Amino acid sequence: MSTPDAHLLIVDDDERIRDLLKKFLMRAGFLVTAARDAAHARRVLSGLDFDLIVLDVMMPGEDGLSLTASLRETMVTPILLLTARGETDDRIKGLEAGADDYLPKPFEPKELLLRINAILRRMPENQPEEVTPKFLQLGAIRYDIDRGEMWQGEDLIRLTSTEIQLMKIFSAQPGEPVSRAKLVEDLGRDRGQAQERAVDVQITRLRRKIEPNPKQPQYLQTVRGAGYMLAPD
């Protein structure tokens, strides 16, 4: 997806920050819509589709974490959280709620732009209809490698952009372990233990969607000392 095609939703209760972000991102070539709080964002989302949501965590009324968790029940639109909280546990809570990435305040606008573009690059491109799909079978789950789609019978399983990228990484080398450090690198994140822990959180969330018993994973296995491995049927 090219930047000029992307429509972003900015949700922040601080009018000054909201306007600055909107102007900056519009100059970068995005189409941008802004909302002042969670309730306003819900009304906007009821009538428009977006390619990515930039969402402030600390807002009056419904906060960004609650809104993220709620949106994840019905949509897979990538969500980037803006948070004044720098502690690792608070960031992990954002990922557990379903966010694709987070950026602590204060931040450089250029870093926000880099993170937005990194998330958008992880989203799969539309595949031509004539392309012959290739599948991996994970028990009752069928994963379409070409389209980056996961199905259970006739039901499409909703994946976040990070989950889509993880499946792309694992399906490229099924049966081979991928280290946490390599996953951090391929996801375009900064290196460090906090990011590796964030990857663990994403793995846990992905297992809930593909494993009959996520506590005893059969298909997305932990390989002691080596990382994680996709083991299709």
Side-chain angles (χ1 to χ4, degrees), residues 152-221:
Q152 184 167 16
E154 298 300 317
D155 297 325
L156 178 65
I157 298 174
R158 295 178 179 274
L159 299 176
T160 66
S161 65
T162 301
E163 291 165 350
I164 289 171
Q165 182 67 0
L166 283 171
M167 286 302 301
K168 180 179 179 182
I169 295 168
F170 286 123
S171 64
Q173 41 189 333
E176 298 181 16
V178 184
S179 70
R180 296 160 81 206
K182 183 70 165 73
L183 290 173
V184 169
E185 180 181 348
D186 288 350
L187 288 173
R189 302 181 186 273
D190 298 329
R191 296 181 180 180
Q193 289 185 346
Q195 290 290 2
E196 290 189 8
R197 184 181 172 193
V199 165
D200 293 338
V201 172
Q202 299 289 358
I203 293 292
T204 298
R205 296 181 70 248
L206 183 55
R207 280 174 170 165
R208 291 173 187 155
K209 298 183 178 181
I210 67 176
E211 297 286 356
N213 182 358
K215 294 182 178 180
Q216 296 180 343
Q218 298 175 247
Y219 303 110
L220 187 46
Q221 301 176 2

Coordinates of all heavy atoms in Angstrom, one line a residue, residues 152-221:
Q152 N -11.3 -20.9 9.0 CA -11.8 -22.1 9.7 C -13.1 -22.5 9.0 O -14.2 -21.8 9.2 CB -12.0 -21.9 11.2 CG -12.4 -23.1 11.9 CD -12.3 -23.0 13.4 OE1 -12.1 -21.9 13.9 NE2 -12.2 -24.1 14.1
G153 N -13.1 -23.5 8.2 CA -14.3 -23.8 7.3 C -14.5 -22.6 6.4 O -13.7 -22.2 5.6
E154 N -15.8 -22.1 6.4 CA -16.1 -21.0 5.6 C -15.9 -19.6 6.3 O -16.2 -18.6 5.7 CB -17.6 -21.1 5.1 CG -17.9 -22.3 4.3 CD -17.1 -22.4 3.0 OE1 -16.9 -21.3 2.4 OE2 -16.5 -23.4 2.7
D155 N -15.4 -19.6 7.5 CA -15.3 -18.4 8.3 C -13.9 -17.9 8.2 O -12.9 -18.6 8.5 CB -15.6 -18.7 9.8 CG -17.1 -19.1 10.0 OD1 -17.9 -18.6 9.2 OD2 -17.4 -20.0 10.8
L156 N -13.7 -16.6 7.9 CA -12.5 -15.9 7.8 C -12.1 -15.5 9.3 O -12.9 -14.9 10.0 CB -12.5 -14.7 7.0 CG -11.3 -13.8 6.9 CD1 -10.1 -14.6 6.2 CD2 -11.6 -12.5 6.1
I157 N -10.9 -15.9 9.7 CA -10.4 -15.5 11.0 C -9.7 -14.2 10.9 O -8.8 -14.0 10.1 CB -9.4 -16.6 11.5 CG1 -10.1 -17.9 11.7 CG2 -8.8 -16.1 12.9 CD1 -9.2 -19.1 12.1
R158 N -10.1 -13.2 11.7 CA -9.5 -11.9 11.6 C -8.1 -11.9 12.3 O -7.9 -12.3 13.4 CB -10.4 -10.9 12.4 CG -11.8 -10.7 11.8 CD -12.7 -9.8 12.6 NE -14.0 -9.5 12.0 CZ -14.2 -8.6 11.1 NH1 -13.3 -7.8 10.6 NH2 -15.4 -8.5 10.6
L159 N -7.2 -11.3 11.5 CA -5.8 -11.2 12.0 C -5.4 -9.7 12.0 O -5.8 -9.0 11.0 CB -4.8 -12.0 11.1 CG -5.0 -13.5 11.0 CD1 -4.1 -14.1 9.9 CD2 -4.9 -14.2 12.3
T160 N -4.7 -9.3 13.0 CA -4.1 -8.0 13.0 C -3.0 -7.9 12.0 O -2.5 -8.9 11.5 CB -3.6 -7.6 14.4 OG1 -2.5 -8.4 14.7 CG2 -4.7 -7.8 15.4
S161 N -2.5 -6.7 11.7 CA -1.4 -6.6 10.8 C -0.1 -7.3 11.3 O 0.6 -7.9 10.5 CB -1.1 -5.1 10.5 OG -0.6 -4.4 11.6
T162 N 0.1 -7.2 12.6 CA 1.3 -7.9 13.2 C 1.1 -9.4 13.1 O 2.1 -10.1 12.8 CB 1.4 -7.5 14.7 OG1 1.6 -6.1 14.7 CG2 2.7 -8.2 15.3
E163 N -0.1 -9.9 13.3 CA -0.3 -11.4 13.2 C -0.2 -11.8 11.7 O 0.4 -12.9 11.5 CB -1.7 -11.7 13.7 CG -1.8 -11.5 15.2 CD -3.3 -11.5 15.7 OE1 -4.2 -11.4 14.9 OE2 -3.5 -11.6 16.9
I164 N -0.6 -11.0 10.8 CA -0.4 -11.3 9.4 C 1.1 -11.4 9.1 O 1.5 -12.3 8.4 CB -1.1 -10.2 8.5 CG1 -2.6 -10.3 8.6 CG2 -0.6 -10.3 7.1 CD1 -3.3 -9.2 7.9
Q165 N 1.9 -10.5 9.6 CA 3.3 -10.5 9.3 C 4.0 -11.7 10.0 O 4.9 -12.3 9.4 CB 3.9 -9.2 9.8 CG 5.4 -9.1 9.6 CD 5.8 -9.0 8.1 OE1 4.9 -9.0 7.3 NE2 7.0 -8.9 7.8
L166 N 3.5 -12.0 11.2 CA 4.1 -13.2 11.9 C 3.8 -14.5 11.1 O 4.7 -15.3 10.9 CB 3.5 -13.4 13.3 CG 4.1 -12.4 14.4 CD1 3.2 -12.5 15.6 CD2 5.5 -12.7 14.6
M167 N 2.6 -14.6 10.6 CA 2.3 -15.8 9.8 C 3.1 -15.8 8.5 O 3.5 -16.9 8.0 CB 0.8 -15.9 9.5 CG -0.1 -16.3 10.7 SD 0.3 -17.9 11.3 CE 0.1 -18.9 9.9
K168 N 3.3 -14.7 7.9 CA 4.1 -14.6 6.7 C 5.5 -15.1 7.0 O 6.1 -15.8 6.2 CB 4.1 -13.2 6.2 CG 5.0 -13.0 4.9 CD 4.9 -11.5 4.5 CE 5.7 -11.3 3.2 NZ 5.7 -9.8 2.8
I169 N 6.1 -14.6 8.1 CA 7.4 -15.1 8.5 C 7.5 -16.6 8.7 O 8.4 -17.3 8.2 CB 7.9 -14.3 9.8 CG1 8.0 -12.8 9.5 CG2 9.2 -14.8 10.3 CD1 8.2 -11.9 10.7
F170 N 6.6 -17.1 9.5 CA 6.6 -18.5 9.9 C 6.3 -19.4 8.6 O 6.9 -20.5 8.5 CB 5.6 -18.8 11.0 CG 6.0 -18.3 12.3 CD1 5.2 -17.5 13.1 CD2 7.2 -18.7 12.9 CE1 5.6 -17.0 14.3 CE2 7.6 -18.3 14.1 CZ 6.8 -17.5 14.9
S171 N 5.4 -19.0 7.8 CA 5.0 -19.8 6.7 C 6.1 -19.9 5.6 O 6.1 -20.8 4.8 CB 3.7 -19.3 6.0 OG 3.8 -18.0 5.5
A172 N 7.0 -18.9 5.6 CA 8.1 -18.9 4.7 C 9.1 -20.0 5.0 O 9.9 -20.4 4.2 CB 8.8 -17.6 4.7
Q173 N 9.1 -20.5 6.3 CA 10.0 -21.6 6.7 C 9.3 -22.5 7.7 O 9.8 -22.6 8.9 CB 11.3 -21.0 7.3 CG 11.1 -19.8 8.2 CD 12.4 -19.1 8.5 OE1 13.5 -19.7 8.5 NE2 12.3 -17.8 8.8
P174 N 8.3 -23.2 7.3 CA 7.6 -24.1 8.2 C 8.5 -25.2 8.7 O 9.3 -25.7 7.9 CB 6.4 -24.6 7.4 CG 6.9 -24.5 5.9 CD 7.7 -23.2 5.9
G175 N 8.4 -25.6 9.9 CA 9.2 -26.7 10.5 C 10.6 -26.2 10.9 O 11.4 -27.0 11.4
E176 N 10.9 -24.9 10.7 CA 12.2 -24.4 11.1 C 12.0 -23.3 12.2 O 11.1 -22.4 12.0 CB 12.9 -23.8 10.0 CG 13.2 -24.7 8.9 CD 14.0 -24.1 7.7 OE1 14.5 -23.0 7.9 OE2 14.0 -24.7 6.6
P177 N 12.7 -23.4 13.3 CA 12.5 -22.4 14.4 C 13.0 -21.0 14.0 O 14.0 -20.9 13.2 CB 13.4 -22.9 15.6 CG 14.3 -23.9 14.9 CD 13.7 -24.4 13.7
V178 N 12.3 -20.0 14.4 CA 12.7 -18.6 14.2 C 13.0 -17.9 15.6 O 12.1 -18.0 16.4 CB 11.6 -17.8 13.4 CG1 12.1 -16.4 13.1 CG2 11.2 -18.5 12.2
S179 N 14.1 -17.4 15.8 CA 14.5 -16.8 17.1 C 13.6 -15.5 17.3 O 13.1 -14.9 16.4 CB 16.0 -16.4 17.1 OG 16.2 -15.3 16.3
R180 N 13.5 -15.2 18.6 CA 12.8 -14.0 19.0 C 13.4 -12.8 18.5 O 12.8 -11.8 18.0 CB 12.6 -14.0 20.5 CG 11.8 -15.1 21.1 CD 12.2 -15.2 22.6 NE 11.5 -14.3 23.4 CZ 11.9 -13.9 24.6 NH1 13.1 -14.3 25.1 NH2 11.2 -13.0 25.3
A181 N 14.8 -12.8 18.5 CA 15.5 -11.6 18.0 C 15.3 -11.4 16.5 O 15.1 -10.3 16.0 CB 17.0 -11.8 18.2
K182 N 15.2 -12.5 15.7 CA 14.9 -12.5 14.3 C 13.5 -12.0 14.1 O 13.2 -11.2 13.1 CB 15.1 -13.8 13.6 CG 14.9 -13.8 12.1 CD 16.1 -13.1 11.5 CE 16.1 -13.4 10.0 NZ 15.1 -12.7 9.2
L183 N 12.5 -12.4 14.9 CA 11.2 -11.9 14.7 C 11.1 -10.4 15.0 O 10.4 -9.7 14.3 CB 10.3 -12.7 15.7 CG 10.0 -14.1 15.4 CD1 9.2 -14.8 16.5 CD2 9.2 -14.3 14.1
V184 N 11.8 -10.0 16.0 CA 11.8 -8.5 16.3 C 12.4 -7.8 15.1 O 11.8 -6.7 14.7 CB 12.7 -8.2 17.6 CG1 12.9 -6.7 17.7 CG2 12.0 -8.8 18.8
E185 N 13.4 -8.3 14.5 CA 14.0 -7.6 13.4 C 13.1 -7.6 12.2 O 12.9 -6.6 11.5 CB 15.3 -8.3 13.0 CG 16.1 -7.7 11.8 CD 17.3 -8.5 11.5 OE1 17.8 -9.3 12.3 OE2 17.9 -8.3 10.4
D186 N 12.5 -8.8 11.9 CA 11.6 -8.8 10.7 C 10.3 -8.0 10.9 O 9.7 -7.6 9.9 CB 11.3 -10.3 10.4 CG 12.4 -11.1 9.9 OD1 13.5 -10.5 9.5 OD2 12.4 -12.3 9.8
L187 N 9.9 -7.8 12.1 CA 8.7 -7.0 12.4 C 9.1 -5.5 12.3 O 8.2 -4.7 12.5 CB 8.1 -7.3 13.7 CG 7.4 -8.7 13.8 CD1 7.0 -9.0 15.3 CD2 6.2 -8.7 12.9
G188 N 10.3 -5.2 12.1 CA 10.7 -3.8 12.0 C 10.8 -3.0 13.3 O 10.6 -1.8 13.3
R189 N 11.0 -3.8 14.4 CA 11.0 -3.1 15.7 C 12.4 -2.9 16.2 O 13.4 -3.6 15.7 CB 10.2 -3.9 16.7 CG 8.8 -4.2 16.3 CD 8.1 -5.0 17.4 NE 6.7 -5.3 17.0 CZ 5.6 -4.6 17.2 NH1 5.8 -3.4 17.8 NH2 4.4 -5.0 16.8
D190 N 12.6 -2.0 17.2 CA 13.9 -1.9 17.8 C 14.3 -3.1 18.6 O 13.4 -3.8 19.1 CB 13.9 -0.6 18.7 CG 13.6 0.6 17.9 OD1 14.0 0.7 16.8 OD2 13.0 1.5 18.6
R191 N 15.6 -3.4 18.6 CA 16.0 -4.6 19.4 C 16.0 -4.3 20.9 O 16.0 -3.2 21.3 CB 17.5 -5.0 19.0 CG 17.6 -5.4 17.5 CD 19.0 -5.8 17.1 NE 19.1 -6.2 15.7 CZ 20.2 -6.6 15.2 NH1 21.3 -6.6 15.9 NH2 20.2 -6.9 13.9
G192 N 15.9 -5.4 21.6 CA 15.9 -5.3 23.1 C 15.0 -6.3 23.7 O 14.1 -6.8 23.1
Q193 N 15.2 -6.5 25.0 CA 14.4 -7.5 25.8 C 12.9 -7.1 25.8 O 12.0 -8.0 25.7 CB 14.9 -7.7 27.2 CG 16.3 -8.4 27.2 CD 16.7 -8.7 28.6 OE1 16.2 -8.2 29.6 NE2 17.7 -9.6 28.8
A194 N 12.6 -5.8 25.9 CA 11.2 -5.4 26.0 C 10.5 -5.8 24.7 O 9.3 -6.2 24.7 CB 11.2 -3.9 26.2
Q195 N 11.2 -5.6 23.6 CA 10.6 -5.9 22.3 C 10.4 -7.4 22.1 O 9.4 -7.9 21.5 CB 11.4 -5.3 21.1 CG 11.3 -3.8 21.0 CD 10.0 -3.3 20.6 OE1 9.0 -4.1 20.4 NE2 9.8 -2.0 20.4
E196 N 11.4 -8.2 22.6 CA 11.2 -9.6 22.6 C 10.0 -10.1 23.4 O 9.3 -11.0 23.0 CB 12.5 -10.3 23.0 CG 13.7 -10.1 22.0 CD 14.9 -11.0 22.4 OE1 14.8 -11.8 23.3 OE2 15.9 -10.8 21.7
R197 N 9.8 -9.4 24.5 CA 8.7 -9.8 25.4 C 7.4 -9.4 24.6 O 6.4 -10.1 24.7 CB 8.8 -9.0 26.7 CG 7.7 -9.4 27.7 CD 7.8 -8.6 29.0 NE 6.6 -8.8 29.8 CZ 6.3 -8.1 30.9 NH1 7.1 -7.1 31.2 NH2 5.3 -8.3 31.6
A198 N 7.4 -8.3 23.9 CA 6.3 -7.9 23.1 C 5.9 -8.9 22.1 O 4.8 -9.2 21.8 CB 6.5 -6.5 22.5
V199 N 7.0 -9.5 21.5 CA 6.8 -10.6 20.5 C 6.1 -11.8 21.2 O 5.2 -12.4 20.6 CB 8.1 -11.0 19.8 CG1 7.9 -12.3 19.1 CG2 8.5 -9.9 18.9
D200 N 6.5 -12.1 22.4 CA 5.9 -13.2 23.1 C 4.4 -13.0 23.3 O 3.6 -13.9 23.2 CB 6.5 -13.4 24.5 CG 8.0 -13.8 24.4 OD1 8.4 -14.4 23.4 OD2 8.7 -13.6 25.4
V201 N 4.0 -11.7 23.6 CA 2.6 -11.4 23.7 C 1.9 -11.6 22.4 O 0.8 -12.2 22.4 CB 2.5 -9.9 24.2 CG1 1.0 -9.5 24.1 CG2 3.0 -9.7 25.6
Q202 N 2.5 -11.2 21.3 CA 1.8 -11.4 20.0 C 1.7 -12.9 19.7 O 0.7 -13.3 19.1 CB 2.6 -10.6 18.9 CG 2.7 -9.1 19.1 CD 1.4 -8.4 18.9 OE1 0.4 -9.0 18.5 NE2 1.4 -7.1 19.1
I203 N 2.7 -13.7 20.0 CA 2.6 -15.1 19.8 C 1.4 -15.7 20.6 O 0.7 -16.5 20.1 CB 3.9 -15.8 20.2 CG1 5.1 -15.4 19.2 CG2 3.8 -17.3 20.2 CD1 4.9 -15.9 17.8
T204 N 1.3 -15.3 21.8 CA 0.2 -15.8 22.7 C -1.1 -15.4 22.1 O -2.0 -16.3 22.0 CB 0.3 -15.1 24.1 OG1 1.5 -15.5 24.7 CG2 -0.8 -15.6 25.0
R205 N -1.3 -14.2 21.5 CA -2.6 -13.8 20.9 C -2.8 -14.6 19.7 O -4.0 -15.0 19.4 CB -2.5 -12.3 20.6 CG -2.5 -11.5 21.9 CD -2.5 -10.0 21.5 NE -3.8 -9.6 21.0 CZ -4.0 -9.2 19.8 NH1 -3.0 -9.1 18.9 NH2 -5.2 -8.8 19.4
L206 N -1.8 -14.9 18.9 CA -1.9 -15.6 17.6 C -2.3 -17.1 17.9 O -3.1 -17.7 17.2 CB -0.6 -15.6 16.8 CG -0.6 -16.3 15.4 CD1 -1.8 -15.8 14.6 CD2 0.7 -16.1 14.7
R207 N -1.7 -17.7 19.0 CA -2.0 -19.0 19.4 C -3.5 -19.2 19.7 O -4.1 -20.2 19.5 CB -1.2 -19.5 20.5 CG 0.2 -19.9 20.2 CD 1.1 -20.1 21.4 NE 2.4 -20.8 21.0 CZ 3.4 -20.8 21.8 NH1 3.3 -20.3 23.1 NH2 4.5 -21.4 21.4
R208 N -4.1 -18.2 20.3 CA -5.5 -18.2 20.7 C -6.4 -18.4 19.4 O -7.5 -18.9 19.5 CB -5.9 -17.0 21.4 CG -5.3 -16.9 22.8 CD -5.6 -15.5 23.4 NE -4.9 -15.3 24.7 CZ -4.7 -14.1 25.2 NH1 -5.0 -13.0 24.5 NH2 -4.0 -14.0 26.3
K209 N -5.9 -18.0 18.3 CA -6.7 -18.1 17.1 C -6.5 -19.4 16.3 O -7.3 -19.7 15.5 CB -6.4 -16.9 16.2 CG -6.7 -15.5 16.8 CD -6.5 -14.4 15.9 CE -6.9 -13.0 16.6 NZ -6.7 -11.9 15.8
I210 N -5.3 -20.0 16.5 CA -5.0 -21.2 15.7 C -4.9 -22.5 16.4 O -4.9 -23.6 15.8 CB -3.7 -21.0 14.9 CG1 -2.5 -20.9 15.8 CG2 -3.8 -19.7 14.0 CD1 -1.2 -20.8 15.0
E211 N -4.8 -22.4 17.7 CA -4.6 -23.7 18.5 C -5.8 -24.2 19.2 O -6.6 -23.4 19.7 CB -3.5 -23.4 19.6 CG -2.2 -23.0 19.2 CD -1.4 -24.2 18.6 OE1 -1.9 -25.3 18.6 OE2 -0.3 -24.0 18.1
P212 N -6.1 -25.5 19.1 CA -7.2 -26.1 19.9 C -7.1 -25.8 21.4 O -8.1 -25.5 22.0 CB -7.1 -27.6 19.5 CG -6.4 -27.6 18.3 CD -5.4 -26.5 18.3
N213 N -5.8 -25.9 21.9 CA -5.5 -25.6 23.3 C -4.3 -24.7 23.3 O -3.2 -25.2 23.2 CB -5.3 -26.9 24.1 CG -5.0 -26.6 25.5 OD1 -5.0 -25.4 26.0 ND2 -4.8 -27.6 26.3
P214 N -4.5 -23.4 23.4 CA -3.3 -22.5 23.3 C -2.3 -22.7 24.4 O -1.1 -22.4 24.2 CB -4.0 -21.1 23.5 CG -5.4 -21.3 23.1 CD -5.8 -22.7 23.5
K215 N -2.7 -23.3 25.5 CA -1.7 -23.6 26.6 C -0.8 -24.8 26.3 O 0.2 -25.0 26.9 CB -2.5 -23.8 27.9 CG -3.2 -22.6 28.4 CD -3.8 -22.8 29.8 CE -4.5 -21.6 30.3 NZ -5.2 -21.8 31.6
Q216 N -1.3 -25.6 25.3 CA -0.5 -26.7 24.8 C -0.4 -26.7 23.3 O -1.0 -27.5 22.6 CB -1.1 -28.1 25.3 CG -1.1 -28.2 26.8 CD -1.6 -29.6 27.2 OE1 -2.3 -30.2 26.5 NE2 -1.4 -30.0 28.5
P217 N 0.4 -25.7 22.8 CA 0.4 -25.4 21.3 C 0.9 -26.6 20.5 O 1.9 -27.2 20.8 CB 1.3 -24.2 21.2 CG 2.1 -24.2 22.4 CD 1.3 -24.8 23.5
Q218 N 0.2 -26.9 19.4 CA 0.6 -28.0 18.5 C 1.2 -27.4 17.3 O 2.2 -28.0 16.7 CB -0.6 -28.8 18.1 CG -1.3 -29.6 19.2 CD -2.5 -30.3 18.7 OE1 -3.7 -30.0 19.0 NE2 -2.3 -31.3 17.8
Y219 N 0.7 -26.3 16.8 CA 1.1 -25.7 15.5 C 2.1 -24.6 15.6 O 2.9 -24.4 14.7 CB -0.2 -25.3 14.7 CG -1.1 -26.5 14.6 CD1 -2.3 -26.5 15.3 CD2 -0.8 -27.6 13.8 CE1 -3.2 -27.6 15.2 CE2 -1.6 -28.7 13.6 CZ -2.8 -28.7 14.3 OH -3.7 -29.7 14.2
L220 N 2.0 -23.8 16.6 CA 2.9 -22.7 16.8 C 3.7 -23.0 18.1 O 3.4 -22.6 19.2 CB 2.2 -21.3 16.9 CG 3.1 -20.1 16.9 CD1 4.2 -20.1 15.8 CD2 2.3 -18.8 16.7
Q221 N 4.8 -23.8 17.9 CA 5.5 -24.4 19.0 C 6.6 -23.5 19.5 O 7.2 -22.7 18.7 CB 6.0 -25.7 18.6 CG 5.0 -26.7 18.1 CD 5.6 -28.0 17.6 OE1 6.8 -28.2 17.7 NE2 4.7 -28.9 17.2

